[in-house]
């Protein structure tokens, strides 16, 4: 499906989709994001209206199922995954050491950039809460999917709402992190 979005800002990558989707219609979604940073209220410079169009035409290409050798070449092996986990653990330990031994105002841009994407691993408590929330999200979506399968009444809108509700925390957290980093890097650049 082709999706076009009309945005007021040239490099704005944030797209909010409406809760109700109907093909061929244009939706206007209002977003007034703001988060608290310390004691003041900050509103990022994102446009307040987004337009999303869902096309009635979808392009589909038939692709033959890959052979076993092609699959082995395309997917990560168990050894690759183990190596990635070791590298991640090493990077997290290194960042914990640096961040815990350096005052916040003395952290360099390079150190902050190295933390992007691994924030959740810098605290065992946060990592545990994130695992629990991800599990609740997965269980919620699977339960709703199973309920619909048993009732033989498929309601993709309801499934979408369940998924949206159970993953709200992840979107909020990602938004807060993005705004926080944006503010931090903007201050460092000034």
């Amino acid at each position: 499906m082709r999706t076009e979005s009309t945005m007021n800002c040239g490099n704005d990558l944030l797209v909010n989709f409406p809760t109700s989707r109907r093909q061929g219609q244009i939706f206007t979604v209002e977003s007034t994001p703001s988060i608290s940073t310390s004691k003041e209220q900050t509103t990022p410079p994102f446009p307040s209206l987004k337009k999303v169009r869902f096309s009635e035409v979808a392009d589909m290409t038939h692709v033959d199922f890959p052979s076993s050798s092609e699959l082995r070449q395309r997917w990560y092996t168990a050894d690759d995954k183990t190596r990635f986990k070791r590298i991640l653990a090493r990077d997290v330990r290194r960042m914990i050491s640096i961040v815990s031994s350096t005052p916040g105002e003395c952290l360099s841009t390079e150190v902050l950039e190295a933390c992007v994407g691994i924030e959740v691993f810098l605290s065992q408590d946060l990592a545990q809460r994130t695992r629990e929330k991800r599990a609740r999200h997965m269980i919620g979506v699977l339960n709703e999917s199973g309920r619909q399968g048993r009732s033989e009444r498929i309601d993709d809108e309801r499934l979408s709402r369940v998924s949206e509700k159970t993953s709200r925390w992840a979107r909020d957290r990602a938004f807060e992190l993005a705004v926080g980093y944006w503010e931090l890097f903007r201050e460092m650049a000034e």
Side-chain angles (χ1 to χ4, degrees):
M1 179 173 14
R2 289 186 190 148
T3 304
E4 297 175 16
S5 61
T6 305
M7 296 181 220
N8 300 328
C9 182
N11 61 358
D12 182 5
L13 299 178
L14 181 71
V15 177
N16 291 329
F17 290 96
T19 56
S20 177
R21 289 172 281 182
R22 293 186 187 104
Q23 285 186 320
Q25 295 184 3
I26 298 175
F27 294 92
T28 300
V29 181
E30 289 191 31
S31 64
T32 52
S34 64
I35 65 162
S36 291
T37 54
S38 65
K39 294 184 180 179
E40 63 186 55
Q41 197 70 4
T42 303
T43 303
F46 299 129
S48 61
L49 294 177
K50 314 266 191 245
K51 291 183 180 177
V52 179
R53 180 178 302 166
F54 294 93
S55 175
E56 293 183 20
V57 179
D59 294 333
M60 185 186 307
T61 304
H62 181 269
V63 178
D64 292 328
F65 193 78
S67 68
S68 297
S69 64
E70 287 177 306
L71 286 175
R72 280 192 300 275
Q73 291 173 351
R74 292 181 186 175
W75 296 101
Y76 293 121
T77 66
D79 289 342
D80 291 335
K81 291 176 187 177
T82 300
R83 189 176 75 252
F84 296 150
K85 287 178 185 178
R86 277 197 310 264
I87 291 168
L88 175 62
R90 182 202 65 206
D91 291 347
V92 168
R93 281 192 305 272
R94 188 169 52 95
M95 287 297 106
I96 287 173
S97 173
I98 292 170
V99 170
S100 64
S101 65
T102 308
E105 62 275 2
C106 297
L107 291 172
S108 68
T109 304
E110 291 79 22
V111 169
L112 292 173
E113 287 173 352
C115 290
V116 173
I118 64 170
E119 302 89 354
V120 72
F121 300 109
L122 299 179
S123 158
Q124 288 184 355
D125 181 52
L126 181 58
Q128 178 62 32
R129 283 185 288 156
T130 301
R131 280 192 295 273
E132 290 167 359
K133 287 177 180 180
R134 284 181 180 164
R136 282 195 300 268
H137 168 66
M138 183 178 63
I139 289 167
V141 171
L142 290 175
N143 283 344
E144 178 59 27
S145 180
R147 188 195 65 74
Q148 288 184 19
R150 289 187 299 278
S151 71
E152 297 181 6
R153 184 172 177 272
I154 305 303
D155 183 353
D156 60 347
E157 292 296 324
R158 180 177 166 93
L159 186 61
S160 176
R161 285 190 305 272
V162 167
S163 178
E164 180 180 12
K165 181 180 176 184
T166 60
S167 65
R168 179 73 196 189
W169 64 273
R171 290 189 309 281
D172 291 345
R173 182 179 159 274
F175 179 78
E176 289 174 8
L177 282 170
V179 170
Y181 278 118
W182 181 81
E183 289 284 335
L184 245 159
F185 289 129
R186 186 184 65 159
E187 289 173 11
M188 294 175 96
E190 291 175 350

